[in-house]
Structures are given as C-alpha cells and as structure tokens.
Amino acid sequence: MNFIPEWPVILQFAIATFVLSITPGPDMTLFVGRALSEGKAAGFACLAGASTGVVVHTTMVAIGLSALIVASPSAFLVLKIVGAGYLVWLAYQAIRHGSAFSPEKQVGQSHTLFQNWLTGLGINLLNPKIILFFMTFLPQFVSASDPHAPGKLFFLGVLFIPLALPVVAPMIIAADRFSRLLRKNPTVTRITDWLFAGVFSAFAAKILMAQAK
C-alpha cells in the first residue's frame, strides 16, 4: 500500500488536523448553529455535506497536483514554498484577528436533512479559503520526488474527515454548552487561535528549511 504515508507524516498531519478542527470558522459556525436551531441531526447533516466537499477538494488537488508533478517537479516545490507562506499568513490572521465564531440560536423554518447536507456542501465548496487551504496544506506532507504522491495526497485528504470527526461531533452534540463557553470565555477561543498559529507556523518553517538544504 504505497499510497499510505509513513507514520511520522501521518502523526504530523493528525496534529495539524486536530488544531484546525478546534479552530472555529465558517463550517463550525454552521454545524453548531444548525444544531442549536434544528437539533443534532441537522448539525450532523451539515457536517456530512462539508465532509463531501472535502472529498471533492481532495480529488481535485490530487489530480491537479499530480499533473503538476509530472509536468514540472520544480513547480511543485514552488507551490510548497508558497503554501508555507500561506500557512504563516493564516497563523498571523489567527493571532491578530482571532477566529470567527458567532452561532445564534434562531427559531424559524426548519430544513430537511438533504437541505442541510446541501448547505454544508455549498459552504465548503464555495469557500475560497478552504480551496486555497487544501491546495497549500496537503502538499506539505508529500515529497515532489515521491512517485506515489497522488495516492498519498488523496489518502491524507480523505483521512482528514475521520481525524476531525472525534473533535467536531462532540461539539455538535453539546452545541449549546460549547457555543456559550466560547461566547462567555474568550480566553478559550484565543487559546485555539494560538494553537492554530503555532502548529501551522511550525509546518511552514519545516517546509522552508527543507527547501534550503
């Protein structure tokens, strides 16, 4: 199974996924907001839609980056360096502006599970930050000279879903308590911001030092 990365790489990816999962953003706002207003089933339906979007992004990245590797390995390395710069920018944004999280418990027209799934899918697919993130995040864990890079890119992208689930699912189940905690205790949110910044700055430094050798 040459498409499975080495365990140290998987561990690094798991750590990054964990930090990303606990960092509030548009997807998390949707999951928790729908769980508050329509129940846990609606929140999980939105999560399923977003997870479907992750598979779509992963497939596009694996195919697109595979073509880039074949056409020009040096261009792939440039993309990785640009990706490192983007990770530094994300870390800076997290520290300076904090995370966007504002779920509101609203009473109104309920949605079907399919509609909630579509909403989760749409927010994920149409979010340019998510597209750019996957384009720059996944390549950090694959070598341009690896002949099995396409399979590893896809494996890691899909692995993102089960790795994030143990973090996101409890938040949806305990949506009310979770949202009140973040609203009443901004320190918790700031801790996640700094975790996010620290982990991705470390990955950015790692890739930049690797290219300097």
Side-chain angles (χ1 to χ4, degrees), residues 7 11 16 31 45-46 61 70 75 113 143 149 151 160-161 174 176 188 197 211:
W7 279 110
L11 179 60
F31 305 155
C46 291
V61 168
V70 173
L113 292 181
S143 171
F160 181 91
I161 298 173
D176 188 49
V188 175
Q211 300 309 320

Side-chain angles (χ1 to χ4, degrees), residues 81-103:
I81 295 175
V82 172
Y86 178 61
L87 294 179
V88 171
W89 181 82
L90 286 178
Y92 169 75
Q93 291 293 314
I95 293 175
R96 181 177 180 182
H97 301 294
S99 302
F101 186 82
S102 56

